[in-house]
Amino acid sequence: MTDTHTTTGADAVPSLRIRGLSKTFGETEVLTSIDLDVKKGEFLTLLGPSGSGKTTLLRIIAGFETASGGELLLDGTDISVLKPSERKLGMVFQNYALFPHLTVAENIAYGLKVRKYDRGALRRRVDHMLEVVGLGHLAARKPTQLSGGQQQRVALARALAYEPEILLMDEPLGALDRSLRLQMEQEIKQVHRETGTTVIYVTHDQEEALVLSDRVAIMNQGVFAGLDTPMNLFTRPENSFVARFFSDSNVLDATLADGLLQIAGQEIPVESPLHGDVKVAVRPARAALSTAADPATGEGPALRLPAVVHEAHLLGETEQIGLRREDGTPFTVRRPVGSGGPVHEGDQATIIVPPAGMTVMAD
Amino acid sequence: MSELMNRPARVIDGASRVLGGLLVTAAVAFLLLPAALVLVLSFGTGNRVQFPPQGWGLDRYTEIFSSGNWGAPTLLSFEIAFYTAVGALAVGLPLVFALKRSLLPGRQFLEGLAFAPIVIPISAYAVGMYAVFSQLDLIGTKHGIVIAHIAHALPMVVIVLSTSLEQIKPELELAAMTMGASRSRAWTGITFRLLAPAVLSAFLFGFISSFDEAVFITFLGGAGLITLPKYIFDSVQYAVDPAITAMATLLMLGVTFLMLLGTALRKDKK
């Protein structure tokens, strides 16, 4: 992993520092020796399939679970011994967890009341938060009278009202439909920019992670498979899991010696410090197709893989073509709609991958 | 074409709707007729219960309040029902939290135990209780009856409380705690506050189940303890005292009112 974070200098003070954190439920190890520094003001996403440990990690940070081992420091203070109420955190839940017997304004005021804000300060703060999430006109409503998106905005305002050190969000958009989700992504981003709060965000949706995050920690089976900016994870994955999970990449077996990649019986020159058995990641959009009806005129050295078209479907602006290589392994190609001739199931085709489209990984 | 296909369906639909309507009407009439009859009879006069009554008046009601026979049983019923409701809550509330919010081993067994009084035939249950109570010298005592009534009321209390608690998500408490509330503040201000209508509702249902109970008191009450239902049974054993129609009406209206109140409280949260 290379240090290519966009936030540097004074901003780089870690707000939350996690060292060697582990968690076992009975015999099962859910988290294995997690190390993580979350910088002040950073938007960090924990991304992973279900069961990868991301929610458990969030719940340990929040104080709902205790770690089996390791350190949890907030601004240098050990918070692992503190109760949830003493950790100065805010949390947004997937099911919103709004108090049904309180109005929108009272929900937002809850944390302020507990913290004994005086009347005037409390009212100003509630009004400000209502304005931030654009719900001033619904202040007197009960949560059940609001739509899902509005409820999530209240949850966000409520968690930010008392200016927590870190805002934890547990799949907050999971219950919303797609168009609303896209809109809420922008709003969360906006609120993050305006408040500058440190955010730790849990999701299993890689698009959400791409759009929102300064950095993404990709979790798999209780460890970080990758921890980097979305751009680096997307363009330069460090292992097969990250390549497959984050950018839907194809992963090929190869060997590397003296700057020459031996792959599918061909030799391609690449720049990589690795040698021996390696994996090669190819994003679906970095491969081209050559068919009898539509022969591609590739220039320069490129990997050419004979294959048969298995399926083709439209994603929107792009179309996705699933192929089977000669040895039966699947390969996916994506290209702009209309950029090539039509393909049909059973068509013979050649997959063409230029050297620039390959990322060499150790495993 | 579509008309042809629709027509037979509509005929069947209409016929079944008429039949269904008749069935519902019959069922409702069957359920309400005795109640309505008692109501009408309670405003009759004369020495015998007969329909139609010989005359109309409030004789039966004045008799209840003037005769002095009904006062003691009524008071005893209220007393036992109150302690039963309190006791059923004292057992039911912690039980429901253990069932729904803890990982207590054997909690399914506990739940089954709480519902046992529904499954076991009430007279068989009362016979069993008689055997136990006579060993413990509880026959004919108030607290003995209260204990039996608590067991009798528990299933209803547990159902009312647990359906309500299931709708209160544990995340609410967690959310309150991340916002700085102590565990006890989160519990009283959020979870218990949201459960309060159900607690009151469970209290009323517990109260009613005891107030209306006639089997346990017959088996376990001995000679001395006479609650209202027992008094009604006793009074019809040899001769029918017309005043029971008035008493039954009052009982009916009171219980219906409490039931409606209890149900309204359960729905209040939504």
Side-chain angles (χ1 to χ4, degrees), chain A residues 95-143:
Chain A
N95 63 20
Y96 321 131
L98 298 177
F99 305 136
H101 59 302
L102 302 179
T103 64
V104 167
E106 287 166 343
N107 263 280
I108 297 173
Y110 188 88
L112 306 172
K113 252 185 204 153
V114 172
R115 285 175 164 73
K116 299 193 166 56
Y117 275 52
D118 70 65
R119 227 168 222 281
L122 186 141
R123 166 157 289 185
R124 275 194 303 279
R125 192 68 197 146
V126 170
D127 287 345
H128 174 70
M129 289 318 299
L130 282 167
E131 195 185 317
V132 167
V133 295
L135 290 177
H137 58 299
L138 300 176
R141 293 271 183 91
K142 290 281 177 69

CSV table of all heavy atoms in Angstrom, one decimal, chain A residues 95-143:
chain,number,residue,atom,x,y,z
A,95,ASN,N,-32.0,1.7,10.3
A,95,ASN,CA,-33.5,1.8,10.5
A,95,ASN,C,-33.8,3.2,11.1
A,95,ASN,O,-34.9,3.3,11.7
A,95,ASN,CB,-34.0,0.6,11.3
A,95,ASN,CG,-33.5,0.5,12.7
A,95,ASN,OD1,-33.0,1.5,13.2
A,95,ASN,ND2,-33.6,-0.6,13.3
A,96,TYR,N,-32.9,4.1,11.1
A,96,TYR,CA,-33.1,5.5,11.5
A,96,TYR,C,-33.1,5.6,13.1
A,96,TYR,O,-32.5,6.5,13.6
A,96,TYR,CB,-34.3,6.2,11.0
A,96,TYR,CG,-34.6,5.9,9.5
A,96,TYR,CD1,-35.8,5.5,9.0
A,96,TYR,CD2,-33.6,5.9,8.6
A,96,TYR,CE1,-36.1,5.2,7.7
A,96,TYR,CE2,-33.8,5.7,7.2
A,96,TYR,CZ,-35.0,5.3,6.8
A,96,TYR,OH,-35.2,4.9,5.5
A,97,ALA,N,-33.8,4.7,13.7
A,97,ALA,CA,-33.9,4.7,15.2
A,97,ALA,C,-34.3,6.1,15.7
A,97,ALA,O,-33.8,6.5,16.7
A,97,ALA,CB,-32.6,4.3,15.8
A,98,LEU,N,-35.3,6.7,15.1
A,98,LEU,CA,-35.8,7.9,15.6
A,98,LEU,C,-36.8,7.6,16.7
A,98,LEU,O,-37.5,6.6,16.7
A,98,LEU,CB,-36.6,8.7,14.5
A,98,LEU,CG,-35.7,9.1,13.3
A,98,LEU,CD1,-36.5,9.8,12.3
A,98,LEU,CD2,-34.6,10.1,13.8
A,99,PHE,N,-36.9,8.5,17.7
A,99,PHE,CA,-37.8,8.3,18.8
A,99,PHE,C,-39.2,8.6,18.4
A,99,PHE,O,-39.5,9.7,18.1
A,99,PHE,CB,-37.4,9.1,20.0
A,99,PHE,CG,-36.0,8.9,20.4
A,99,PHE,CD1,-35.1,10.0,20.8
A,99,PHE,CD2,-35.4,7.6,20.5
A,99,PHE,CE1,-33.8,9.8,21.1
A,99,PHE,CE2,-34.1,7.4,20.9
A,99,PHE,CZ,-33.3,8.5,21.2
A,100,PRO,N,-40.1,7.6,18.3
A,100,PRO,CA,-41.4,7.8,17.7
A,100,PRO,C,-42.3,8.7,18.5
A,100,PRO,O,-43.2,9.3,18.0
A,100,PRO,CB,-42.0,6.4,17.6
A,100,PRO,CG,-41.2,5.6,18.6
A,100,PRO,CD,-39.9,6.2,18.7
A,101,HIS,N,-42.0,8.8,19.8
A,101,HIS,CA,-42.9,9.7,20.6
A,101,HIS,C,-42.5,11.1,20.7
A,101,HIS,O,-43.2,12.0,21.3
A,101,HIS,CB,-43.0,9.1,22.1
A,101,HIS,CG,-41.7,9.0,22.8
A,101,HIS,ND1,-40.6,8.3,22.3
A,101,HIS,CD2,-41.3,9.6,23.9
A,101,HIS,CE1,-39.6,8.5,23.1
A,101,HIS,NE2,-39.9,9.2,24.1
A,102,LEU,N,-41.4,11.5,20.0
A,102,LEU,CA,-40.9,12.8,20.0
A,102,LEU,C,-41.0,13.4,18.6
A,102,LEU,O,-40.9,12.7,17.6
A,102,LEU,CB,-39.4,12.9,20.5
A,102,LEU,CG,-39.1,12.3,21.9
A,102,LEU,CD1,-37.6,12.4,22.1
A,102,LEU,CD2,-39.9,13.0,22.9
A,103,THR,N,-41.2,14.8,18.6
A,103,THR,CA,-41.2,15.4,17.3
A,103,THR,C,-39.8,15.5,16.6
A,103,THR,O,-38.8,15.1,17.3
A,103,THR,CB,-41.7,16.9,17.4
A,103,THR,OG1,-40.8,17.6,18.2
A,103,THR,CG2,-43.1,16.9,18.1
A,104,VAL,N,-39.8,15.9,15.4
A,104,VAL,CA,-38.5,16.0,14.7
A,104,VAL,C,-37.6,16.9,15.5
A,104,VAL,O,-36.4,16.6,15.8
A,104,VAL,CB,-38.7,16.6,13.3
A,104,VAL,CG1,-37.4,17.1,12.7
A,104,VAL,CG2,-39.4,15.6,12.4
A,105,ALA,N,-38.1,18.1,15.9
A,105,ALA,CA,-37.2,19.0,16.7
A,105,ALA,C,-36.8,18.4,18.0
A,105,ALA,O,-35.6,18.6,18.4
A,105,ALA,CB,-38.0,20.3,17.0
A,106,GLU,N,-37.7,17.7,18.7
A,106,GLU,CA,-37.3,17.1,20.0
A,106,GLU,C,-36.3,15.9,19.8
A,106,GLU,O,-35.5,15.7,20.7
A,106,GLU,CB,-38.6,16.5,20.6
A,106,GLU,CG,-39.5,17.6,21.2
A,106,GLU,CD,-40.9,17.1,21.6
A,106,GLU,OE1,-41.3,16.0,21.1
A,106,GLU,OE2,-41.6,17.8,22.3
A,107,ASN,N,-36.4,15.2,18.7
A,107,ASN,CA,-35.4,14.2,18.4
A,107,ASN,C,-34.1,14.8,18.3
A,107,ASN,O,-33.1,14.4,18.8
A,107,ASN,CB,-35.8,13.5,17.1
A,107,ASN,CG,-36.5,12.2,17.3
A,107,ASN,OD1,-35.9,11.2,17.6
A,107,ASN,ND2,-37.8,12.2,17.2
A,108,ILE,N,-34.0,15.9,17.5
A,108,ILE,CA,-32.7,16.6,17.3
A,108,ILE,C,-32.2,17.2,18.6
A,108,ILE,O,-31.0,17.2,18.9
A,108,ILE,CB,-32.8,17.7,16.2
A,108,ILE,CG1,-33.2,17.0,14.9
A,108,ILE,CG2,-31.6,18.5,16.1
A,108,ILE,CD1,-33.5,18.0,13.8
A,109,ALA,N,-33.1,17.6,19.5
A,109,ALA,CA,-32.7,18.3,20.7
A,109,ALA,C,-32.3,17.2,21.8
A,109,ALA,O,-31.7,17.6,22.8
A,109,ALA,CB,-33.9,19.1,21.3
A,110,TYR,N,-32.6,16.0,21.6
A,110,TYR,CA,-32.3,15.0,22.6
A,110,TYR,C,-30.9,15.0,23.2
A,110,TYR,O,-30.7,15.1,24.4
A,110,TYR,CB,-32.7,13.6,22.1
A,110,TYR,CG,-32.7,12.5,23.2
A,110,TYR,CD1,-33.8,12.3,24.0
A,110,TYR,CD2,-31.5,11.8,23.5
A,110,TYR,CE1,-33.8,11.3,25.0
A,110,TYR,CE2,-31.5,10.9,24.5
A,110,TYR,CZ,-32.6,10.6,25.3
A,110,TYR,OH,-32.6,9.7,26.3
A,111,GLY,N,-29.9,14.9,22.3
A,111,GLY,CA,-28.5,14.9,22.7
A,111,GLY,C,-28.1,16.2,23.4
A,111,GLY,O,-27.2,16.2,24.2
A,112,LEU,N,-28.7,17.3,23.0
A,112,LEU,CA,-28.4,18.6,23.5
A,112,LEU,C,-29.0,18.7,24.9
A,112,LEU,O,-28.4,19.3,25.9
A,112,LEU,CB,-29.0,19.7,22.7
A,112,LEU,CG,-28.6,19.7,21.2
A,112,LEU,CD1,-29.4,20.7,20.4
A,112,LEU,CD2,-27.1,20.0,21.1
A,113,LYS,N,-30.2,18.2,25.1
A,113,LYS,CA,-30.9,18.2,26.4
A,113,LYS,C,-30.0,17.4,27.4
A,113,LYS,O,-29.8,17.8,28.5
A,113,LYS,CB,-32.3,17.6,26.3
A,113,LYS,CG,-33.3,18.6,26.5
A,113,LYS,CD,-34.7,18.0,26.4
A,113,LYS,CE,-35.7,19.0,26.0
A,113,LYS,NZ,-36.9,18.4,25.4
A,114,VAL,N,-29.6,16.2,27.0
A,114,VAL,CA,-28.8,15.3,27.8
A,114,VAL,C,-27.5,16.0,28.2
A,114,VAL,O,-27.1,15.9,29.4
A,114,VAL,CB,-28.5,14.0,27.1
A,114,VAL,CG1,-27.5,13.2,27.9
A,114,VAL,CG2,-29.7,13.2,26.8
A,115,ARG,N,-27.0,16.8,27.3
A,115,ARG,CA,-25.8,17.6,27.6
A,115,ARG,C,-26.0,18.9,28.3
A,115,ARG,O,-25.1,19.7,28.4
A,115,ARG,CB,-25.0,17.8,26.3
A,115,ARG,CG,-24.3,16.6,25.8
A,115,ARG,CD,-23.7,16.8,24.4
A,115,ARG,NE,-22.7,15.7,24.1
A,115,ARG,CZ,-23.1,14.5,23.8
A,115,ARG,NH1,-24.3,14.2,23.7
A,115,ARG,NH2,-22.1,13.6,23.6
A,116,LYS,N,-27.3,19.1,28.7
A,116,LYS,CA,-27.7,20.3,29.4
A,116,LYS,C,-27.3,21.6,28.8
A,116,LYS,O,-26.8,22.5,29.4
A,116,LYS,CB,-27.0,20.2,30.8
A,116,LYS,CG,-27.5,19.0,31.6
A,116,LYS,CD,-27.1,19.1,33.1
A,116,LYS,CE,-27.8,18.1,34.0
A,116,LYS,NZ,-27.6,16.7,33.5
A,117,TYR,N,-27.6,21.7,27.5
A,117,TYR,CA,-27.5,23.0,26.8
A,117,TYR,C,-28.5,23.9,27.4
A,117,TYR,O,-29.6,23.5,27.7
A,117,TYR,CB,-27.8,22.8,25.3
A,117,TYR,CG,-26.6,22.4,24.4
A,117,TYR,CD1,-25.8,21.3,24.8
A,117,TYR,CD2,-26.3,23.1,23.3
A,117,TYR,CE1,-24.8,20.9,24.0
A,117,TYR,CE2,-25.3,22.8,22.5
A,117,TYR,CZ,-24.5,21.7,22.8
A,117,TYR,OH,-23.4,21.3,22.0
A,118,ASP,N,-28.3,25.2,27.5
A,118,ASP,CA,-29.3,26.1,28.0
A,118,ASP,C,-30.3,26.3,26.9
A,118,ASP,O,-30.0,26.1,25.7
A,118,ASP,CB,-28.8,27.4,28.6
A,118,ASP,CG,-28.2,28.3,27.5
A,118,ASP,OD1,-28.9,28.8,26.7
A,118,ASP,OD2,-26.9,28.5,27.6
A,119,ARG,N,-31.5,26.8,27.3
A,119,ARG,CA,-32.6,27.0,26.4
A,119,ARG,C,-32.3,27.6,25.0
A,119,ARG,O,-32.6,27.1,24.0
A,119,ARG,CB,-33.7,27.8,27.1
A,119,ARG,CG,-35.1,27.2,27.0
A,119,ARG,CD,-35.9,28.0,28.0
A,119,ARG,NE,-36.8,27.2,28.8
A,119,ARG,CZ,-37.9,26.7,28.3
A,119,ARG,NH1,-38.3,27.0,27.1
A,119,ARG,NH2,-38.7,25.9,29.0
A,120,GLY,N,-31.7,28.8,25.1
A,120,GLY,CA,-31.4,29.5,23.9
A,120,GLY,C,-30.4,28.8,23.0
A,120,GLY,O,-30.7,28.7,21.8
A,121,ALA,N,-29.3,28.3,23.6
A,121,ALA,CA,-28.3,27.6,22.7
A,121,ALA,C,-29.0,26.4,22.1
A,121,ALA,O,-28.7,26.1,20.9
A,121,ALA,CB,-27.2,27.2,23.6
A,122,LEU,N,-29.8,25.7,22.9
A,122,LEU,CA,-30.5,24.5,22.4
A,122,LEU,C,-31.4,24.8,21.2
A,122,LEU,O,-31.3,24.2,20.1
A,122,LEU,CB,-31.3,23.8,23.5
A,122,LEU,CG,-31.9,22.5,23.2
A,122,LEU,CD1,-31.9,21.6,24.4
A,122,LEU,CD2,-33.4,22.6,22.8
A,123,ARG,N,-32.2,25.9,21.3
A,123,ARG,CA,-33.1,26.2,20.2
A,123,ARG,C,-32.3,26.7,19.0
A,123,ARG,O,-32.6,26.2,17.9
A,123,ARG,CB,-34.0,27.4,20.7
A,123,ARG,CG,-34.7,28.1,19.6
A,123,ARG,CD,-35.9,28.8,20.0
A,123,ARG,NE,-36.9,27.8,20.4
A,123,ARG,CZ,-38.2,28.1,20.8
A,123,ARG,NH1,-38.5,29.4,20.8
A,123,ARG,NH2,-39.0,27.2,21.1
A,124,ARG,N,-31.2,27.4,19.2
A,124,ARG,CA,-30.4,27.9,18.0
A,124,ARG,C,-29.8,26.7,17.3
A,124,ARG,O,-29.8,26.6,16.1
A,124,ARG,CB,-29.3,28.8,18.5
A,124,ARG,CG,-29.8,30.3,18.7
A,124,ARG,CD,-28.6,31.2,18.8
A,124,ARG,NE,-27.7,30.9,19.9
A,124,ARG,CZ,-28.0,31.3,21.2
A,124,ARG,NH1,-29.0,32.0,21.5
A,124,ARG,NH2,-27.1,30.9,22.2
A,125,ARG,N,-29.3,25.8,18.1
A,125,ARG,CA,-28.6,24.6,17.5
A,125,ARG,C,-29.6,23.7,16.8
A,125,ARG,O,-29.3,23.3,15.7
A,125,ARG,CB,-28.0,23.8,18.7
A,125,ARG,CG,-27.0,22.7,18.3
A,125,ARG,CD,-25.7,23.3,17.6
A,125,ARG,NE,-25.1,22.2,16.9
A,125,ARG,CZ,-24.4,22.4,15.8
A,125,ARG,NH1,-24.2,23.5,15.3
A,125,ARG,NH2,-23.8,21.3,15.2
A,126,VAL,N,-30.8,23.5,17.3
A,126,VAL,CA,-31.8,22.7,16.7
A,126,VAL,C,-32.3,23.4,15.4
A,126,VAL,O,-32.3,22.7,14.3
A,126,VAL,CB,-33.1,22.5,17.6
A,126,VAL,CG1,-34.2,21.9,16.8
A,126,VAL,CG2,-32.7,21.6,18.8
A,127,ASP,N,-32.5,24.7,15.4
A,127,ASP,CA,-32.9,25.4,14.2
A,127,ASP,C,-31.8,25.3,13.1
A,127,ASP,O,-32.1,25.1,12.0
A,127,ASP,CB,-33.1,26.9,14.5
A,127,ASP,CG,-34.4,27.1,15.3
A,127,ASP,OD1,-35.2,26.1,15.3
A,127,ASP,OD2,-34.6,28.2,15.9
A,128,HIS,N,-30.5,25.5,13.6
A,128,HIS,CA,-29.4,25.4,12.6
A,128,HIS,C,-29.4,24.0,12.0
A,128,HIS,O,-29.3,23.9,10.7
A,128,HIS,CB,-28.1,25.6,13.4
A,128,HIS,CG,-26.9,25.4,12.5
A,128,HIS,ND1,-26.6,26.3,11.4
A,128,HIS,CD2,-26.0,24.5,12.5
A,128,HIS,CE1,-25.5,25.8,10.8
A,128,HIS,NE2,-25.1,24.7,11.4
A,129,MET,N,-29.5,22.9,12.8
A,129,MET,CA,-29.5,21.6,12.2
A,129,MET,C,-30.7,21.3,11.3
A,129,MET,O,-30.5,20.7,10.2
A,129,MET,CB,-29.5,20.5,13.3
A,129,MET,CG,-28.2,20.4,14.1
A,129,MET,SD,-26.7,20.5,13.2
A,129,MET,CE,-26.8,19.1,12.1
A,130,LEU,N,-31.8,21.8,11.6
A,130,LEU,CA,-33.0,21.7,10.8
A,130,LEU,C,-32.7,22.4,9.4
A,130,LEU,O,-33.1,21.9,8.4
A,130,LEU,CB,-34.2,22.3,11.4
A,130,LEU,CG,-34.9,21.5,12.5
A,130,LEU,CD1,-35.9,22.3,13.3
A,130,LEU,CD2,-35.6,20.3,11.9
A,131,GLU,N,-32.0,23.5,9.5
A,131,GLU,CA,-31.7,24.2,8.3
A,131,GLU,C,-30.7,23.4,7.4
A,131,GLU,O,-30.8,23.3,6.2
A,131,GLU,CB,-31.2,25.6,8.6
A,131,GLU,CG,-31.1,26.6,7.5
A,131,GLU,CD,-30.4,27.9,8.0
A,131,GLU,OE1,-30.7,28.3,9.1
A,131,GLU,OE2,-29.6,28.4,7.3
A,132,VAL,N,-29.7,22.9,8.1
A,132,VAL,CA,-28.7,22.1,7.4
A,132,VAL,C,-29.3,21.0,6.6
A,132,VAL,O,-28.9,20.7,5.4
A,132,VAL,CB,-27.6,21.6,8.4
A,132,VAL,CG1,-26.7,20.5,7.7
A,132,VAL,CG2,-26.8,22.7,9.0
A,133,VAL,N,-30.2,20.3,7.2
A,133,VAL,CA,-30.8,19.2,6.4
A,133,VAL,C,-32.1,19.5,5.7
A,133,VAL,O,-32.8,18.7,5.2
A,133,VAL,CB,-31.1,17.9,7.4
A,133,VAL,CG1,-29.8,17.4,7.9
A,133,VAL,CG2,-32.0,18.3,8.5
A,134,GLY,N,-32.5,20.8,5.8
A,134,GLY,CA,-33.6,21.3,5.0
A,134,GLY,C,-35.0,20.8,5.5
A,134,GLY,O,-35.8,20.5,4.7
A,135,LEU,N,-35.2,20.7,6.8
A,135,LEU,CA,-36.4,20.2,7.3
A,135,LEU,C,-37.1,21.1,8.3
A,135,LEU,O,-38.0,20.7,9.0
A,135,LEU,CB,-36.2,18.8,8.0
A,135,LEU,CG,-35.8,17.7,7.1
A,135,LEU,CD1,-35.5,16.4,8.0
A,135,LEU,CD2,-36.9,17.3,6.1
A,136,GLY,N,-36.8,22.4,8.2
A,136,GLY,CA,-37.3,23.4,9.1
A,136,GLY,C,-38.9,23.4,9.1
A,136,GLY,O,-39.5,23.5,10.2
A,137,HIS,N,-39.5,23.1,8.0
A,137,HIS,CA,-40.9,23.2,7.9
A,137,HIS,C,-41.6,21.9,8.5
A,137,HIS,O,-42.8,21.9,8.7
A,137,HIS,CB,-41.4,23.3,6.5
A,137,HIS,CG,-40.9,22.2,5.6
A,137,HIS,ND1,-39.5,22.0,5.4
A,137,HIS,CD2,-41.5,21.3,4.8
A,137,HIS,CE1,-39.4,20.9,4.5
A,137,HIS,NE2,-40.6,20.5,4.2
A,138,LEU,N,-40.8,20.9,8.9
A,138,LEU,CA,-41.4,19.7,9.4
A,138,LEU,C,-41.0,19.5,10.9
A,138,LEU,O,-41.2,18.4,11.5
A,138,LEU,CB,-40.9,18.5,8.6
A,138,LEU,CG,-41.2,18.4,7.2
A,138,LEU,CD1,-40.6,17.2,6.5
A,138,LEU,CD2,-42.7,18.4,7.0
A,139,ALA,N,-40.5,20.6,11.5
A,139,ALA,CA,-40.0,20.5,12.9
A,139,ALA,C,-41.0,19.9,13.9
A,139,ALA,O,-40.6,19.1,14.8
A,139,ALA,CB,-39.5,21.8,13.4
A,140,ALA,N,-42.3,20.2,13.7
A,140,ALA,CA,-43.3,19.8,14.7
A,140,ALA,C,-43.9,18.4,14.4
A,140,ALA,O,-44.7,17.9,15.1
A,140,ALA,CB,-44.4,20.8,14.8
A,141,ARG,N,-43.4,17.8,13.2
A,141,ARG,CA,-44.0,16.5,12.9
A,141,ARG,C,-43.4,15.4,13.7
A,141,ARG,O,-42.3,15.5,14.3
A,141,ARG,CB,-43.7,16.2,11.4
A,141,ARG,CG,-44.3,17.1,10.4
A,141,ARG,CD,-45.7,16.6,10.0
A,141,ARG,NE,-46.3,17.4,9.0
A,141,ARG,CZ,-46.2,17.2,7.7
A,141,ARG,NH1,-45.4,16.2,7.2
A,141,ARG,NH2,-46.7,18.0,6.8
A,142,LYS,N,-44.2,14.3,13.8
A,142,LYS,CA,-43.6,13.0,14.4
A,142,LYS,C,-42.9,12.2,13.3
A,142,LYS,O,-43.3,12.3,12.1
A,142,LYS,CB,-44.8,12.2,15.0
A,142,LYS,CG,-45.4,12.8,16.2
A,142,LYS,CD,-44.6,12.6,17.5
A,142,LYS,CE,-45.2,13.2,18.7
A,142,LYS,NZ,-46.4,12.6,19.2
A,143,PRO,N,-41.9,11.4,13.6
A,143,PRO,CA,-41.1,10.7,12.6
A,143,PRO,C,-42.0,9.9,11.7
A,143,PRO,O,-41.7,9.7,10.5
A,143,PRO,CB,-40.2,9.8,13.5
A,143,PRO,CG,-40.0,10.6,14.7
A,143,PRO,CD,-41.4,11.3,15.0
